[in-house]
Amino acid sequence: MKRTENGFTLIEVLVTLSILSFVGIIAWSVFFQGYNFSQKAISKNTMIQETNLLITNLKKVHQTLIVYEIKSENCEIKVTNLKTNPKQTQIFNHPAICFKILEINAVPGSGPKTVKPNNKLNDGSLNDVSLKINASEKNNPQNSITQDTFLYRMKGADYQ
């Protein structure tokens, strides 16, 4: 009697399933690792853009006010115009990003610091301000960026 058997044995099916499972797990983990990296990159880009917008607004404040106080608390940066009565405060914040001043003029701390941009220093230059600003996600503080900036007034411009 001659037997012609067609088909797969149970061992062949199990080996094939285990190989496919292994390849599937590797592909799945690579996909999710790429997705997580992409989400972190998007988040960092958003933080950089929002911090650049904050810096632009702070430069505008520095160039227009005579004397002001700057400080950071509770994930926001506050600038108070000390020339108005009552004092007017501008608050710079974001619903998903925590802003914090790390240094003002190379002095660690978040303020308050009184700034008089029109006051001339000993070398004749105007009172410029250097800031180190940290931005981090509120729901994931480990994901953060730090930017250094310099608030200045243009030489020869009349800001009175």
Side-chain angles (χ1 to χ4, degrees), residues 7-125:
F8 300 108
T9 65
L10 182 59
I11 301 274
E12 292 172 331
V13 171
L14 289 175
V15 167
T16 303
L17 282 177
S18 63
I19 290 172
L20 286 176
S21 298
F22 183 70
V23 169
I25 289 171
I26 289 174
W28 196 256
S29 66
V30 167
F31 171 75
F32 275 111
Q33 187 176 17
Y35 177 78
N36 289 336
F37 180 78
S38 173
Q39 292 303 314
K40 282 184 182 180
I42 289 170
S43 176
K44 286 212 186 249
N45 282 339
T46 301
M47 285 189 292
I48 289 169
Q49 289 174 349
E50 291 297 326
T51 305
N52 285 338
L53 182 60
L54 169 70
I55 289 169
T56 300
N57 289 328
L58 289 175
K59 284 181 181 178
K60 185 187 296 183
V61 165
H62 183 79
Q63 292 176 351
T64 57
L65 297 183
I66 304 298
V67 59
Y68 65 91
E69 181 181 83
I70 186 168
K71 66 180 176 180
S72 70
E73 58 185 22
N74 300 328
C75 290
E76 56 192 22
I77 295 179
K78 295 180 180 180
V79 176
T80 304
N81 185 350
L82 299 178
K83 276 291 196 188
T84 59
N85 195 5
K87 294 178 174 59
Q88 296 174 340
T89 301
Q90 265 186 296
I91 298 173
F92 301 100
N93 59 13
H94 191 275
I97 299 173
C98 181
F99 294 116
K100 184 176 182 183
I101 296 175
L102 300 177
E103 290 180 5
I104 302 173
N105 288 339
V107 176
S110 58
K113 165 81 171 150
T114 301
V115 179
K116 297 178 183 177
N118 276 348
N119 281 7
K120 292 197 180 198
L121 301 176
N122 294 336
D123 62 359
S125 64

